[in-house]
Amino acid sequence: MDIMSHKFFGTLQLNKIQKNLMFFLIVGCFSFLVKNNAFSQQSEADSLLKVVSLTTNDSLKFNSYIRLFNITSKQELSKSNECLIKAESIAQNKESVYYKGIALYSRAAYFNYKGLYDSTYFYGKKAYELLKDSPFKQATANSLANMATGMGHQNAKIIEIFHEVLKIYDEIQDTSGIIYTFNTLSRNYTHLQKFDSALYYSEKALALCRLQNNDLSISTSLQKLTEIYFEKHQFDKAVETAFEAIIYAKKANNVNGEIWLLITLGNIYYHQNEFTTSLKYYNESLDKSITLGFNKHLSRIYLETGGVHLAMNDYARAENYFNEARDYNQTKKSQYGMMATLSSFCDLHLDKKEYLKVISCAREGVEIGKELNVGPDLTYMINMMGIAYLNLNQYDSALYYSNQSYQMSVEYNDALKISEVAQTLSEIYEKQGNFPEALHYYREYKTISDSIYNDEKTRIIADAENRFKIAKSHEEINKLNAEKAAKELQLKSHLYRISMQQAEAAQKEISLRLLSRESEVKDLELSRISSLAQKKESEVTFKNKELQVANAENLLSKLKSKQGLMVRNITLAIALITTLFGILFFIWFRKQKELQARQSLLTERLRISRELHDDLGSTLSSISVYSDVAKNRAIKNVGTEEVLSKISYASRELIDKMSDIVWSLNPENETVEQLKNRMLAFAAIMFTPCNINFSFDMDSELENYTIPVENRKNVYLIFKEAVHNIVKYARCTDVLVHIHKTEKGILLCITDNGVGFKMDVTRNSNGNSNGKAVTDNGLGGDGIRNMHARANSINSLLSIKSQPGEGTSITLLI
């Protein structure tokens, strides 16, 4: 503290009194934090970390890390991944399938949290194949569940797998697992519009929750029942169930469930065209979200509320709410939310006949959807583009997009969307004069629409019959209740007469007792008068004491006023000294910033000029030489294709280098998130034509982490060189890229499952190992040497590990 304070305060040239004052202010702030409980008590995670640090038992460590993963995965994925990696390292050294199986299905759960469902399925399947013949039944069921979760929209296959999961949970009598399985089966049957099956499993889950008497579980099960009734258009039952669910949600203090149920009520009334009631529940959910600071569903609420105003043709308010949703999703960087918002804007612009805006919003939404790999959600926006082009009389474009939407709808077996797109295609073909095709799609549209209408009509009739039966039974019950009430009234009348007789007898007895106690009352009156006299004497004594206390308080208040004046003067003095210190610090800080800015500007200019000379000079020179050769060959009438091809290649190389320099200089690309996006785009360009699967995994805490320009450029160029080598030599099918935050810095790891190569170590002129990898067939070459050179230039550590037939791993510690 003394060395740091001397260095800091010496720069500001403060005197000794000011230094001491600042020291006591810092100590006072620290004491304030301690007294106000700034350091919270140990949580369960802290306890588990302590266990891990103290024990040497691998089994205890493994289970603690897995539990830590389960806790932190709901809060911070990067921390949960660190725990999982440590658990995986323990499992690798164990022969038991238990350790390896638990680690694998936990890794599947991690990818599920990240939304990487292909990886979820892959690791869940590996865990199941390892555990299916083992005695660890619960782990086997969890692996199957994770595998099914990664299957996306394959609802029929998911249902088949979860029936197997249910058998295992029944065998081991895991009630919580059974409830989870019932709810999952219900949700997937709902997606398939098999509402009777969905209702069956949802009611079974609710019955088990009621047996457990768990308010939170009951609320969740009632919420799922509400959604099923809503999908069946049994709106009365949906409303009744929703209100009951809200009661249990309040008991369990489940704010998330309560807000979601209010949104569901708004949806129910919206589908019945009761827009005023719908807005009431949307506004109630919005107020509760903002008041309680629970903003998880804000985007959904804004979009639903805007949708109601759009249905009421109130375009201004609808656009305001859609803009609120867009701003919220941009702040939260929610790609799913942005896609939903763009879909709502498509509806708004289509209603306002702003067809070019419809195309723009839909195109942006489709790009996001492709990036998120959510195929079923894209069919609507692609068809919106078809409708917009149809209204612009651009029939070829309309046909292209509507056909694309139709094929995707058929692929995902979505009857409602097939009907909507078939109607659009019928209109397009009619406009083009292709009446056979128009008739074909119109028949398909009517067939599906009539089928949906008949199903809906059947549900409405069944619901009406059910209500009639209930009403009839209520009528009979009311008749029986009326007869019962009449008998009870007669009985009450008889009991009333008996009670009146008993009251008269009691009254007579009381009168006799009153007469006997009159003398006692007179004696009590005399004693009361004497007690009043004593009370007056005590009041006089009390008043004298009050006067003495008042005099003492007056004297004390005078002392306090003097003390307050002294405190005020000291406070003013401290404020003046603090202000002076702030002014001096601000002046010093501004001068330091100006010096740093000038130095940074000079350094940046030198770096840009050096890059332009090094990267572009040689390429331009080669283009010039090739141009002269092409000119000479043209004069001699010799073939110039080869030279022109080299000029074209050099030009493309020049464009790539310019693109990399411009990208690295752009201040908007300074975060790790932008670096990851550029790497992801380059990898897609290189790997996709070669049928190489690839995935990126990055810690969420690194999204806004900034990297200096020089470091960012060299990291990207090292990544490009690695990708080029994989495409040229690896002959792999899968590539995994990790970007993680470690104690030593940022770790970039690129792993492939290719043919690998034999590692060798070259030596410099002094005979010392330089640590650079060179293959036995010359694959290392200048590329790997350049990667090492770039890593050394930014003081980073590059490591390449490979063996023939075992793939290659490249790690860069920045």
Side-chain angles (χ1 to χ4, degrees):
M1 176 67 192
D2 291 340
I3 295 172
M4 292 179 65
S5 63
H6 175 74
K7 183 177 179 181
F8 180 70
F9 292 133
T11 306
L12 296 176
Q13 297 181 352
L14 300 177
N15 60 34
K16 187 176 180 180
I17 296 174
Q18 291 171 325
K19 293 178 184 177
N20 291 334
L21 179 60
M22 287 301 300
F23 176 79
F24 285 117
L25 284 173
I26 293 169
V27 173
C29 291
F30 182 80
S31 301
F32 177 81
L33 287 172
V34 173
K35 288 179 181 178
N36 285 273
N37 200 20
F39 305 104
S40 60
Q41 295 180 351
Q42 283 190 333
S43 61
E44 181 184 358
D46 295 329
S47 301
L48 288 168
L49 286 171
K50 185 174 288 187
V51 169
V52 168
S53 64
L54 294 175
T55 186
T56 57
N57 186 302
D58 282 346
S59 177
L60 187 56
K61 275 189 176 183
F62 177 81
N63 290 317
S64 297
Y65 280 130
I66 292 296
R67 178 59 184 157
L68 278 167
F69 164 74
N70 291 329
I71 294 171
T72 55
S73 59
K74 299 174 183 178
Q75 302 164 357
E76 193 172 350
L77 275 177
S78 59
K79 287 186 178 179
S80 69
N81 190 41
E82 291 175 6
C83 297
L84 184 53
I85 289 172
K86 291 176 181 177
E88 287 171 336
S89 67
I90 295 173
Q92 286 177 354
N93 300 322
K94 299 292 182 183
E95 295 298 327
S96 172
V97 296
Y98 171 80
Y99 293 95
K100 297 184 186 298
I102 296 292
L104 282 170
Y105 84 64
S106 297
R107 176 58 66 185
Y110 168 76
F111 282 118
N112 182 40
Y113 291 135
K114 294 209 61 161
L116 301 173
Y117 301 116
D118 291 340
S119 298
T120 303
Y121 175 79
F122 175 77
Y123 283 100
K125 186 178 180 182
K126 284 188 69 175
Y128 173 67
E129 289 172 350
L130 188 66
L131 291 165
K132 62 182 178 181
D133 296 324
S134 74
F136 309 113
K137 298 297 184 181
Q138 188 166 27
T140 306
N142 292 343
S143 301
L144 263 177
N146 278 326
M147 185 178 78
T149 304
M151 296 178 71
H153 297 273
Q154 301 178 53
N155 304 106
K157 290 184 178 179
I158 292 172
I159 288 170
E160 182 180 343
I161 291 173
F162 267 97
H163 276 297
E164 294 298 320
V165 174
L166 183 60
K167 290 178 183 177
I168 299 174
Y169 282 137
D170 277 335
E171 181 183 346
I172 62 177
Q173 297 182 347
D174 184 349
T175 305
S176 299
I178 292 170
I179 293 172
Y180 163 72
T181 307
F182 282 159
N183 285 327
T184 305
L185 287 168
S186 173
R187 181 170 61 253
N188 283 279
Y189 275 120
T190 303
H191 290 323
L192 292 174
Q193 296 186 341
K194 295 182 177 181
F195 299 119
D196 292 338
S197 297
L199 201 60
Y200 170 77
Y201 285 107
S202 189
E203 286 175 344
K204 290 189 74 172
L206 178 60
L208 283 177
C209 292
R210 291 191 190 279
L211 285 175
Q212 288 185 332
N213 197 24
N214 186 315
D215 292 337
L216 179 60
S217 299
I218 294 171
S219 169
T220 304
S221 296
L222 285 169
Q223 179 180 328
K224 293 188 181 301
L225 269 176
T226 301
E227 292 168 359
I228 296 170
Y229 286 133
F230 173 63
E231 292 292 338
K232 290 183 70 176
H233 288 191
Q234 295 180 347
F235 297 125
D236 292 340
K237 284 187 175 181
V239 170
E240 180 184 349
T241 311
F243 281 128
E244 185 181 359
I246 288 173
I247 292 171
Y248 280 101
K250 287 180 177 179
K251 286 182 181 179
N253 197 25
N254 181 13
V255 179
N256 175 49
E258 188 178 351
I259 293 172
W260 183 260
L261 286 161
L262 290 171
I263 296 171
T264 304
L265 284 168
N267 293 340
I268 293 168
Y269 285 106
Y270 171 79
H271 280 273
Q272 298 179 87
N273 295 326
E274 297 182 25
F275 299 132
T276 304
T277 309
S278 177
L279 283 175
K280 169 192 169 186
Y281 287 108
Y282 287 144
N283 290 331
E284 188 176 345
S285 65
L286 181 61
D287 291 340
K288 192 173 287 291
S289 297
I290 294 173
T291 303
L292 299 177
F294 199 91
N295 57 7
K296 181 179 179 181
H297 302 301
L298 273 180
S299 175
R300 174 75 182 275
I301 297 169
Y302 287 138
L303 293 177
E304 299 287 9
T305 309
V308 177
H309 286 296
L310 179 59
M312 298 168 68
N313 296 324
D314 189 349
Y315 298 133
R317 288 189 179 178
E319 188 168 6
N320 286 338
Y321 279 106
F322 293 160
N323 283 329
E324 289 284 352
R326 181 189 60 200
D327 293 342
Y328 173 81
N329 289 314
Q330 285 177 344
T331 303
K332 295 294 183 180
K333 296 182 179 179
S334 171
Q335 294 288 74
Y336 287 100
M338 281 302 299
M339 191 170 67
T341 304
L342 289 165
S343 176
S344 297
F345 271 115
C346 286
D347 295 334
L348 174 65
H349 295 313
L350 185 65
D351 224 32
K352 295 172 71 176
K353 299 182 179 179
E354 298 172 344
Y355 302 120
L356 292 177
K357 290 184 178 180
V358 173
I359 294 169
S360 175
C361 291
R363 198 182 302 279
E364 187 179 350
V366 168
E367 290 300 320
I368 295 173
K370 287 179 179 177
E371 184 179 343
L372 296 174
N373 193 23
V374 285
D377 297 326
L378 295 179
T379 55
Y380 176 77
M381 280 190 285
I382 294 173
N383 189 45
M384 289 293 281
M385 294 171 70
I387 293 170
Y389 279 117
L390 172 63
N391 284 281
L392 291 171
N393 298 325
Q394 298 182 23
Y395 303 128
D396 290 339
S397 297
L399 194 60
Y400 171 78
Y401 287 109
S402 291
N403 266 324
Q404 189 177 351
S405 177
Y406 179 81
Q407 291 168 4
M408 292 177 69
S409 301
V410 171
E411 180 183 348
Y412 295 113
N413 196 26
D414 192 330
L416 185 59
K417 286 191 173 68
I418 292 173
S419 172
E420 293 172 355
V421 182
Q423 184 183 15
T424 305
L425 285 169
S426 175
E427 293 178 12
I428 296 170
Y429 281 118
E430 184 180 357
K431 292 284 185 181
Q432 287 185 324
N434 189 345
F435 298 110
E437 287 294 325
L439 181 61
H440 166 73
Y441 283 107
Y442 181 76
R443 284 175 176 170
E444 185 170 8
Y445 156 67
K446 288 297 293 179
T447 301
I448 297 173
S449 298
D450 291 344
S451 173
I452 295 172
Y453 172 76
N454 289 333
D455 291 343
E456 178 66 18
K457 186 176 179 181
T458 303
R459 285 200 298 270
I460 292 171
I461 292 171
D463 192 39
E465 290 177 351
N466 188 39
R467 285 201 299 271
F468 174 75
K469 290 177 182 178
I470 293 171
K472 190 173 181 181
S473 63
H474 282 172
E475 184 179 353
E476 294 175 356
I477 291 169
N478 290 336
K479 185 176 180 181
L480 292 173
N481 287 338
E483 293 175 357
K484 183 180 178 182
K487 291 180 180 178
E488 288 179 350
L489 187 61
Q490 291 177 357
L491 180 62
K492 286 180 180 178
S493 177
H494 179 67
L495 293 174
Y496 177 74
R497 285 196 296 272
I498 293 172
S499 63
M500 285 297 294
Q501 292 173 359
Q502 291 175 347
E504 288 175 359
Q507 185 68 31
K508 290 179 182 178
E509 185 178 354
I510 290 169
S511 298
L512 291 172
R513 288 180 181 177
L514 286 173
L515 291 172
S516 65
R517 290 186 179 179
E518 282 184 356
S519 59
E520 295 178 4
V521 171
K522 291 179 180 179
D523 292 337
L524 290 171
E525 184 67 21
L526 290 173
S527 63
R528 188 179 68 82
I529 293 169
S530 63
S531 64
L532 285 173
Q534 292 175 358
K535 184 178 178 182
K536 286 182 179 180
E537 289 180 1
S538 62
E539 285 178 354
V540 171
T541 305
F542 180 72
K543 285 181 179 180
N544 291 332
K545 289 182 178 179
E546 279 186 340
L547 287 172
Q548 293 175 0
V549 171
N551 291 331
E553 287 180 349
N554 187 23
L555 181 61
L556 182 61
S557 64
K558 289 179 180 180
L559 291 173
K560 284 183 178 180
S561 63
K562 290 180 180 180
Q563 186 180 2
L565 182 62
M566 184 182 296
V567 170
R568 186 187 66 183
N569 292 336
I570 292 172
T571 304
L572 288 173
I574 292 172
L576 288 172
I577 293 169
T578 305
T579 304
L580 178 61
F581 168 76
I583 293 169
L584 292 172
F585 178 77
F586 176 73
I587 293 169
W588 173 83
F589 181 76
R590 187 172 63 182
K591 287 182 178 179
Q592 292 295 320
K593 281 293 181 182
E594 289 175 356
L595 289 173
Q596 290 176 4
R598 290 176 188 171
Q599 185 62 35
S600 297
L601 180 60
L602 179 59
T603 304
E604 188 65 14
R605 286 177 177 174
L606 290 172
R607 188 186 66 80
I608 293 170
S609 65
R610 185 170 58 252
E611 284 188 356
L612 289 173
H613 179 271
D614 294 344
D615 290 345
L616 307 184
S618 61
T619 306
L620 289 173
S621 298
S622 64
I623 291 173
S624 175
V625 171
Y626 290 144
S627 299
D628 292 338
V629 174
K631 182 178 179 182
N632 293 332
R633 289 190 179 183
I635 293 171
K636 295 178 181 179
N637 198 21
V638 180
T640 60
E641 290 81 0
E642 179 184 357
V643 179
L644 291 175
S645 176
K646 290 181 178 179
I647 292 173
S648 175
Y649 176 79
S651 301
R652 286 195 300 272
E653 185 179 10
L654 179 61
I655 291 169
D656 287 342
K657 288 180 179 179
M658 283 295 293
S659 175
D660 290 342
I661 291 172
V662 171
W663 174 80
S664 66
L665 293 176
N666 191 343
E668 294 181 356
N669 296 324
E670 63 183 3
T671 65
V672 177
E673 176 69 14
Q674 278 101 18
L675 174 60
K676 185 205 94 173
N677 290 339
R678 186 160 181 89
M679 291 163 67
L680 185 61
F682 179 73
I685 292 170
M686 296 299 292
F687 289 148
T688 302
C690 302
N691 294 324
I692 297 175
N693 300 319
F694 66 95
S695 62
F696 273 73
D697 178 23
M698 186 183 81
D699 292 344
S700 58
E701 64 178 325
L702 288 175
E703 289 180 357
N704 297 319
Y705 192 90
T706 58
I707 302 179
V709 174
E710 188 65 22
N711 291 14
R712 186 168 69 246
K713 176 190 172 188
N714 281 292
V715 171
Y716 177 62
L717 291 176
I718 289 170
F719 174 78
K720 284 182 69 175
E721 186 65 39
V723 170
H724 277 299
N725 288 341
I726 289 171
V727 171
K728 287 180 180 179
Y729 309 117
R731 300 203 296 273
C732 64
T733 59
D734 293 285
V735 176
L736 182 62
V737 181
H738 289 282
I739 305 176
H740 296 305
K741 181 75 170 64
T742 66
E743 295 178 356
K744 297 181 179 179
I746 300 174
L747 184 66
L748 168 65
C749 183
I750 308 165
T751 306
D752 66 68
N753 64 345
V755 297
F757 56 86
K758 183 178 179 182
M759 298 293 296
D760 196 2
V761 178
T762 63
R763 300 190 176 271
N764 57 24
S765 58
N766 297 326
N768 297 323
S769 171
N770 59 16
K772 298 178 182 177
V774 176
T775 68
D776 54 357
N777 57 2
L779 295 183
D782 293 332
I784 294 180
R785 281 194 290 274
N786 288 339
M787 290 167 68
H788 278 285
R790 292 188 182 281
N792 292 334
S793 68
I794 58 173
N795 296 322
S796 298
L797 184 62
L798 178 70
S799 173
I800 302 175
K801 297 179 180 179
S802 181
Q803 287 294 332
E806 296 183 4
T808 304
S809 175
I810 301 173
T811 57
L812 177 66
L813 180 61
I814 308 162

